[in-house]
Amino acid sequence: SWAQLPRSLAGSRATRRVSVCAAAVPGPAGRCFLRKILCTSSISLPRGCVRYQGGSQQSSAQPGSSRHGQSQLRNVASSGSIKKHQKSLSAWFSHQPNEERQFGPSFSLDAVHVDPVIRESSLEEILKPSPDLTIQNQLQQPSRRVIGLHNLFDTDACGRQVKNVVLYGTVGTGKSTLIKKMVVDWCHGRLPRFELVIPFSCEDLSHSHAKVSLRHLITKKYQHLRDVVPVLEASNLKVLFILNGLERLNLDFRLAGTELCCDPNEPVPPSAIVVNLLRKYLLPEASIIVTTRPSAVRRIPAKYVGRYAEICGFSDTNLQKLYFQMRLSQPGCTGEESQDRSSAEQENLVEMLSRNLERHNQITAACFLPSYCWLVCTTLHFLYFTRTVPPSQTLTGIYTSFLRLNFSGEVLDSTDPTHISMMKYVAKTVGKLAYEGVMSRKTCFSEEDLQQCFEVEMKTESELNLLEVFRSDVFRFFLSPCVQLGKEHTFVFTIPAMQEYLAALYVVLGEKKTLAQRVGQELSEVIGKVSEDVAVVVNIISKVLPLRFLPVLFNLLKIFPRYFSRVSGKDKDAIAHTMADELFKEEDYYNDDVLDQINSSILGVEGPMRHPDEAPDDEVFELFPIFMGGILSRRNRAILEQLGCSIKNLAAFEIAKAMKKTVIRKGRKGLPPSELMDYLFFLHEFQNERFTAEAIRSLRAVNLSSVKMTPLKCSVLASVMSTTCHEVEGLNLTSCNLDSSSLRTLFPVLLRCKALHLQLNSLGSDACKEIRDLLLHEKCAVSSLRLANNPVGEQGARYLAEALAGNRSLTQLSLLHTALGDPGAEAIAQHLAENQHLQELNLGYNSLTDAAALRVVEVAKRHETLDKVHLYFNDISEDGKRALDSLRMDRDGVRALVFLTAGTDVSDYWSHILNVVQRNLPFWDRERVRQHLTLLLQDLESSRSQTANPWRKAKFLRVESEVKKMLGKLQDGTL
């Protein structure tokens, strides 16, 4: 049963307090560093031999070594070799992987680390079947003894000294990180139990097939130990061997398979050295710690193991909170210049994440694995603290690198002759489950669903063995029990976005094939190889014998592979069509953009929790096509190649070619703002500059109104738009939470926009300074700028006035409701005369008095091109109104829009003024709007009484009815 996984998965969520130490990257990331420890040095003090049995020390048998050996070792130790070795090891093991530096600030091991829970176990518990894998059953499991990392070699329950320790855990629990931490602790004197630590990577040893002695092996990897190794056996030295990743080695403990060897100078295969070390036949006094996955625990006979210990991850929510607190609160995490602002943002993130963890959502189950805690922090750093986006900074890149950190090209089972990589197996099996879930719009999977994806096509013993290894080692990494009530016996993907990533990988790798396609491909390969070989032989024979028809026959055989290659090319078209269909699903048009969806999945949604009986929302899978595009990028394909998932350059080229017919064509249609943001993010993830340039050139206008433009989204927009140099007809960024830093990021894009909409963005004087620089730039193409409903203020008006004086492109400027006041209007009037191109200026709803309004109009009358000034909803008196009403376009060259009337007639712009009021009412002071509408109504009634023309009276009555209707709705609260 899929719900009955090995015991290693059970009992791991019971809560216990554990100690917090220095730093960690995702656990499995340490494997790549263990391979690199090839040129370091070490030294230590000798110790006498002990007699060992059953993995524990029974008696300290022999006295210390000779005085000669001790004095020799003292001389070596005094040379400082041990300090050199510790320094060398510390440098290697403290080094962070590229992904750690790439997706956030690099932290040392002594800065951010929370030790996972380690529980003492036994072989019986490992082999014993567990009950159903549900969250409730895991919590109810009897609590095993928690043991600290530094106490693994304490005496066992029988009082015997433990010499061999097997430390096991599933993928992602932090085995390699824990070993890195152990080595660093020893280097810094925090592990006094041992005088010498010698780490070995079992992956490194598995690639060495030549016979080598233990002495030569140590000096080859750690050259500074050459002075210690000769006296190692005769010394009283406390040595610890670390064997990381035992599942990489095929060990045979039978005497017929591995002969006994007690001589460190005798050359034997590396696997024989490991076996004899564990047998305690070679260097019996040495302590050994082995890390491995659960499936390989049984490769070591129980009689050679003194203690089994399981890494249980962060089984306590408090540990998860502590990790996030330490990780997200690091100085410099945000990259912000303002420490106060960055600290407040960091604290807010930690608080929101803590509240979501307390709700016991699915993220709590996911963060049981330290690796996923790293992924959560990395994703939050990407979402919140990314100011620029180099090609390496993509969401797909984060997930691909995350899988490399955890799988790093490992084979699923080293004993299997196929040597299939773990990631390739996951793509074929879990990817199929993920894809079928995306297509059927579901995220919960029953045991029947799992059997359908994993067991239906199983036909051989080898396939069954691979499945068992996957179940015990990898299954829990990708799938976990659902925490929703009523769904406890179903499974969900540990991280929701991982389902979409694996579904995308399944499609792009071409695993989605029918039976006929699979058979055809295999037959094509066979016929292709055979026909080429036979054709060569027949061509030679035909030159001697008159068998002219045979080459023709075999050339016909070659037609099948060519024909099949053309037919299989349709697969690339199908991938492109799948991508386009999923990217532009109309039912997803009005969802939040994908970046906001990811943010909500991590931090939760603030507000009341959903009632259990309330119908859930439809599942959304908008990341699926974006991941498909991201996986096709060159960088991600290179990483996947390391993981055993090869995507050829030709396949990527053909898919991109097919996408031009589908994706770009559909992208030309008008898309809602959130869907357009998803499209731009897809182009960023795809990382194909030529394709992106062609797609962007087809977008003449960009409407992102009401999309919350975070620094990341601004960087994505700037990055994608930078692939071309064409002018953009319009860029609508209304109500997008922009600030001065956003404008700096978007500066190259804004330069090329003819119509720029920046309303409702809380843009103050700092932002106006950026806008001034924009308008004064020699390449500025902005002709229409709308800044309505922003707190521009007097200082902001001064910056904009400076911009007006030197700008040569702007024809329309809207400063409606920008808190200018009389000083701001005066500043604009002073510089307005220096402008030669402005045609329309909107200063409505800015509390202007008669003096300021008349001053602006006087300057406008002398302006060459300015013919329209909006001054409605200002504090203009009746005298001011009469003065402004006297302006005539034919005489004064400018028209002031103040009221709905123009003398004894209705203004031609009455509908425009009322439309402006209706559009902006949600953002204006309703009481003030009501007062102004009342004044407008009184003005209409007064003007109507002064005219005898029935046609004009009818026009007045019509406008009055519109104003009264608006006032009525305003009072009822329906407007």
Side-chain angles (χ1 to χ4, degrees):
S1 152
W2 280 94
Q4 293 180 336
L5 298 183
R7 185 68 173 180
S8 59
L9 300 180
S12 56
R13 298 191 62 85
T15 59
R16 276 294 179 88
R17 183 182 302 276
V18 298
S19 61
V20 179
C21 310
V25 197
R31 295 191 188 97
C32 58
F33 300 102
L34 292 171
R35 298 189 210 114
K36 297 178 182 178
I37 317 295
L38 303 179
C39 302
T40 49
S41 60
S42 176
I43 191 70
S44 54
L45 299 175
R47 186 185 180 189
C49 300
V50 293
R51 188 172 300 163
Y52 180 84
Q53 181 179 355
S56 300
Q57 178 181 334
Q58 287 189 331
S59 62
S60 55
Q62 299 181 7
S65 60
S66 65
R67 295 179 181 177
H68 174 72
Q70 290 179 352
S71 61
Q72 182 182 2
L73 198 58
R74 276 191 214 99
N75 293 334
V76 174
S78 63
S79 67
S81 297
I82 190 167
K83 292 182 179 179
K84 291 180 182 179
H85 178 61
Q86 289 176 329
K87 183 178 179 181
S88 216
L89 282 183
S90 178
W92 277 110
F93 280 87
S94 298
H95 186 69
Q96 301 291 0
N98 292 334
E99 288 77 7
E100 180 71 12
R101 299 190 300 274
Q102 178 181 336
F103 299 112
S106 182
F107 304 130
S108 67
L109 273 171
D110 288 332
V112 180
H113 180 74
V114 179
D115 277 340
V117 174
I118 304 174
R119 298 188 186 279
E120 192 165 3
S121 182
S122 65
L123 187 61
E124 291 74 18
E125 290 184 352
I126 297 171
L127 300 179
K128 180 182 177 182
S130 66
D132 290 351
L133 181 60
T134 63
I135 297 296
Q136 288 77 11
N137 283 341
Q138 290 186 38
L139 291 173
Q140 294 169 4
Q141 288 296 317
S143 171
R144 289 170 290 163
R145 186 170 78 91
V146 175
I147 186 170
L149 179 64
H150 294 177
N151 304 114
L152 290 174
F153 290 93
D154 290 351
T155 56
D156 61 14
C158 299
R160 295 175 298 183
Q161 184 66 46
V162 172
K163 283 302 212 176
N164 287 357
V165 174
V166 173
L167 186 64
Y168 69 95
T170 57
V171 173
T173 49
K175 299 182 294 296
S176 295
T177 300
L178 211 57
I179 290 302
K180 286 176 62 180
K181 179 63 171 56
M182 191 175 193
V183 172
V184 170
D185 281 352
W186 175 77
C187 293
H188 295 166
R190 294 191 290 266
L191 195 64
R193 182 191 295 269
F194 301 106
E195 297 161 344
L196 177 62
V197 171
I198 304 177
F200 284 120
S201 166
C202 292
E203 180 186 10
D204 180 33
L205 297 179
S206 68
H207 294 310
S208 177
H209 303 291
K211 291 184 177 182
V212 63
S213 66
L214 177 61
R215 175 180 177 178
H216 181 65
L217 182 64
I218 294 174
T219 54
K220 178 182 177 183
K221 308 298 182 184
Y222 306 98
Q223 57 181 339
H224 290 96
L225 294 181
R226 60 181 179 271
D227 296 327
V228 179
V229 171
V231 295
L232 192 62
E233 186 178 13
S235 67
N236 194 29
L237 195 63
K238 298 176 183 177
V239 184
L240 172 64
F241 285 98
I242 297 177
L243 303 173
N244 188 57
L246 191 74
E247 67 275 358
R248 305 290 188 95
L249 284 175
N250 294 327
L251 303 181
D252 190 350
F253 280 82
R254 300 172 304 156
L255 290 178
T258 304
E259 63 178 349
L260 296 175
C261 176
C262 63
D263 185 3
N265 299 312
E266 181 180 349
V268 294
S271 60
I273 293 177
V274 173
V275 168
N276 282 290
L277 282 173
L278 290 169
R279 284 172 174 169
K280 312 312 294 180
Y281 201 76
L282 181 62
L283 298 184
E285 76 286 354
S287 298
I288 301 173
I289 185 169
V290 173
T291 66
T292 185
R293 303 198 303 257
S295 63
V297 170
R298 287 171 288 181
R299 295 185 188 178
I300 305 176
K303 63 181 179 179
Y304 299 128
V305 179
R307 173 171 284 128
Y308 292 95
E310 179 188 8
I311 303 179
C312 299
F314 295 155
S315 56
D316 187 352
T317 305
N318 290 327
L319 291 179
Q320 300 173 10
K321 290 182 182 180
L322 186 57
Y323 180 91
F324 293 132
Q325 175 73 35
M326 297 175 68
R327 180 85 189 195
L328 295 174
S329 300
Q330 285 293 305
C333 178
T334 63
E336 287 277 358
E337 295 179 1
S338 173
Q339 289 297 323
D340 294 338
R341 175 181 173 181
S342 63
S343 298
E345 192 168 14
Q346 286 172 297
E347 291 174 5
N348 185 48
L349 273 182
V350 173
E351 178 63 26
M352 292 177 67
L353 190 54
S354 296
R355 285 202 299 268
N356 201 24
L357 291 171
E358 289 168 0
R359 295 189 189 107
H360 298 289
N361 288 340
Q362 199 65 48
I363 189 175
T364 310
C367 291
F368 159 75
L369 293 172
S371 293
Y372 276 107
C373 291
W374 180 87
L375 180 61
V376 167
C377 289
T378 302
T379 305
L380 286 176
H381 185 275
F382 178 68
L383 292 176
Y384 281 88
F385 306 130
T386 300
R387 307 304 174 192
T388 57
V389 281
S392 58
Q393 290 277 22
T394 65
L395 186 67
T396 314
I398 289 176
Y399 275 76
T400 306
S401 298
F402 169 71
L403 293 174
R404 193 194 72 81
L405 285 170
N406 285 279
F407 295 98
S408 61
E410 288 186 46
V411 297
L412 182 61
D413 185 4
S414 61
T415 63
D416 186 77
T418 62
H419 290 289
I420 184 172
S421 75
M422 195 181 298
M423 198 61 228
K424 180 70 171 179
Y425 186 88
V426 167
K428 291 167 68 71
T429 55
V430 187
K432 179 183 178 183
L433 180 73
Y435 173 75
E436 292 181 355
V438 169
M439 291 297 102
S440 58
R441 316 288 280 186
K442 70 176 184 179
T443 56
C444 293
F445 303 93
S446 64
E447 187 167 338
E448 290 73 21
D449 295 328
L450 299 180
Q451 291 174 350
Q452 197 71 21
C453 282
F454 290 95
E455 299 178 8
V456 166
E457 298 181 2
M458 216 180 334
K459 299 175 183 178
T460 65
E461 181 73 14
S462 175
E463 291 174 339
L464 179 60
N465 291 337
L466 289 175
L467 180 61
E468 288 302 317
V469 173
F470 169 80
R471 281 161 54 100
S472 64
D473 295 351
V474 191
F475 177 82
R476 181 64 177 85
F477 184 83
F478 291 103
L479 294 158
S480 60
C482 184
V483 300
Q484 294 182 21
L485 293 176
K487 297 184 178 181
E488 294 86 353
H489 294 278
T490 61
F491 293 88
V492 296
F493 278 83
T494 309
I495 290 287
M498 188 60 75
Q499 177 179 354
E500 298 174 78
Y501 181 92
L502 292 178
L505 183 61
Y506 177 77
V507 174
V508 174
L509 285 176
E511 296 294 337
K512 187 176 74 71
K513 290 188 178 75
T514 62
L515 180 62
Q517 288 174 324
R518 294 180 187 276
V519 172
Q521 183 178 13
E522 294 175 1
L523 190 59
S524 171
E525 292 174 355
V526 171
I527 292 178
K529 293 177 181 178
V530 171
S531 61
E532 289 176 3
D533 296 337
V534 174
V536 172
V537 175
V538 171
N539 284 332
I540 295 174
I541 296 176
S542 64
K543 293 179 181 179
V544 181
L545 301 175
L547 301 175
R548 302 292 181 182
F549 68 92
L550 288 179
V552 176
L553 178 63
F554 284 103
N555 283 330
L556 289 175
L557 285 176
K558 293 181 181 180
I559 294 177
F560 181 79
R562 294 171 186 169
Y563 173 76
F564 181 79
S565 65
R566 293 179 182 177
V567 173
S568 63
K570 300 295 183 181
D571 294 345
K572 311 301 185 296
D573 292 338
I575 292 174
H577 278 288
T578 300
M579 199 179 303
D581 292 342
E582 293 296 323
L583 188 62
F584 301 109
K585 271 185 176 292
E586 292 189 8
E587 57 263 38
D588 296 336
Y589 267 14
Y590 298 99
N591 298 326
D592 292 337
D593 63 82
V594 291
L595 293 174
D596 284 347
Q597 291 176 27
I598 296 172
N599 181 68
S600 298
S601 69
I602 295 175
L603 299 180
V605 179
E606 296 297 320
M609 296 183 66
R610 183 190 299 274
H611 190 275
D613 297 332
E614 186 178 348
D617 296 331
D618 293 335
E619 299 293 349
V620 178
F621 296 97
E622 294 184 82
L623 268 176
F624 169 55
I626 293 174
F627 277 143
M628 287 178 69
I631 287 171
L632 287 171
S633 70
R634 183 181 297 274
R635 180 181 178 276
N636 286 317
R637 284 190 285 118
I639 297 176
L640 288 169
E641 180 76 30
Q642 300 172 19
L643 297 175
C645 299
S646 178
I647 303 172
K648 301 299 183 185
N649 289 332
L650 180 60
F653 173 77
E654 290 176 347
I655 294 173
K657 185 178 179 181
M659 285 166 57
K660 290 184 179 180
K661 307 173 186 176
T662 55
V663 175
I664 294 181
R665 177 171 51 82
K666 290 189 176 184
R668 291 192 182 102
K669 300 178 181 179
L671 297 173
S674 62
E675 195 70 12
L676 179 57
M677 186 68 239
D678 290 346
Y679 182 44
L680 296 174
F681 188 60
F682 165 82
L683 295 175
H684 167 69
E685 293 285 312
F686 190 33
Q687 294 291 306
N688 186 319
E689 190 170 338
R690 289 178 58 188
F691 182 92
T692 300
E694 187 170 343
I696 291 299
R697 274 193 293 269
S698 67
L699 297 176
R700 306 308 301 176
V702 179
N703 180 11
L704 295 174
S705 60
S706 301
V707 173
K708 185 179 180 182
M709 295 298 290
T710 62
L712 173 62
K713 293 177 191 176
C714 291
S715 298
V716 167
L717 176 59
S719 173
V720 170
M721 297 294 288
S722 67
T723 57
T724 67
C725 298
H726 77 288
E727 287 189 352
V728 181
E729 292 295 330
L731 176 60
N732 190 344
L733 295 175
T734 301
S735 188
C736 289
N737 292 86
L738 299 179
D739 56 16
S740 57
S741 64
S742 305
L743 297 181
R744 279 194 295 273
T745 303
L746 294 172
F747 192 91
V749 180
L750 303 181
L751 278 176
R752 296 155 41 198
C753 298
K754 292 183 178 179
L756 191 54
H757 299 260
L758 299 176
Q759 305 97 301
L760 294 164
N761 278 298
S762 301
L763 299 176
S765 58
D766 290 342
C768 290
K769 191 175 181 180
E770 300 295 331
I771 295 173
R772 178 198 64 183
D773 297 340
L774 171 72
L775 294 176
L776 292 177
H777 197 281
E778 59 181 4
K779 294 184 179 180
C780 178
V782 178
S783 60
S784 175
L785 175 61
R786 299 184 182 275
L787 288 169
N789 301 306
N790 283 297
V792 172
E794 179 183 349
Q795 184 59 46
R798 296 186 187 280
Y799 288 133
L800 294 177
E802 294 175 19
L804 282 176
N807 180 265
R808 299 292 180 268
S809 63
L810 197 63
T811 59
Q812 293 179 325
L813 175 62
S814 174
L815 295 174
L816 175 70
H817 191 219
T818 51
L820 298 182
D822 285 353
E826 287 287 345
I828 290 177
Q830 289 174 8
H831 291 80
L832 194 57
E834 302 174 47
N835 181 278
Q836 304 297 323
H837 302 276
L838 195 65
Q839 299 174 8
E840 184 176 352
L841 176 63
N842 191 335
L843 299 178
Y845 203 160
N846 274 297
S847 303
L848 304 187
T849 61
D850 294 356
L854 292 171
R855 171 84 171 106
V856 171
V857 171
E858 286 298 322
V859 176
K861 288 168 63 176
R862 298 190 296 270
H863 198 281
E864 294 182 5
T865 59
L866 184 60
D867 60 7
K868 195 182 298 179
V869 179
H870 300 250
L871 293 170
Y872 40 80
F873 276 52
N874 281 304
D875 300 332
I876 299 175
S877 66
E878 285 295 325
D879 294 338
K881 175 183 178 297
R882 282 192 293 271
L884 294 171
D885 280 345
S886 65
L887 292 173
R888 293 290 180 270
M889 188 66 192
D890 54 351
R891 184 187 67 199
D892 302 304
V894 66
R895 177 170 295 169
L897 309 182
V898 185
F899 284 85
L900 301 180
T901 59
T904 58
D905 199 356
V906 175
S907 171
D908 294 338
Y909 300 95
W910 71 268
S911 61
H912 170 77
I913 295 174
L914 291 182
N915 285 334
V916 169
V917 174
Q918 191 161 1
R919 284 198 309 269
N920 292 278
L921 189 59
F923 321 108
W924 289 359
D925 182 355
R926 287 177 173 263
E927 180 58 28
R928 186 171 180 181
V929 171
R930 189 189 63 77
Q931 293 175 4
H932 276 283
L933 288 176
T934 302
L935 290 174
L936 291 177
L937 183 61
Q938 293 173 358
D939 181 63
L940 286 167
E941 292 171 346
S942 174
S943 299
R944 177 167 55 85
S945 64
Q946 296 175 14
T947 182
N949 188 318
W951 173 246
R952 289 183 178 179
K953 283 184 179 289
K955 289 171 64 177
F956 275 115
L957 289 172
R958 178 191 174 192
V959 178
E960 287 175 29
S961 68
E962 292 292 331
V963 175
K964 289 178 180 178
K965 188 186 299 183
M966 190 176 291
L967 274 170
K969 290 183 178 180
L970 188 61
Q971 291 174 352
D972 297 339
T974 58
L975 185 61

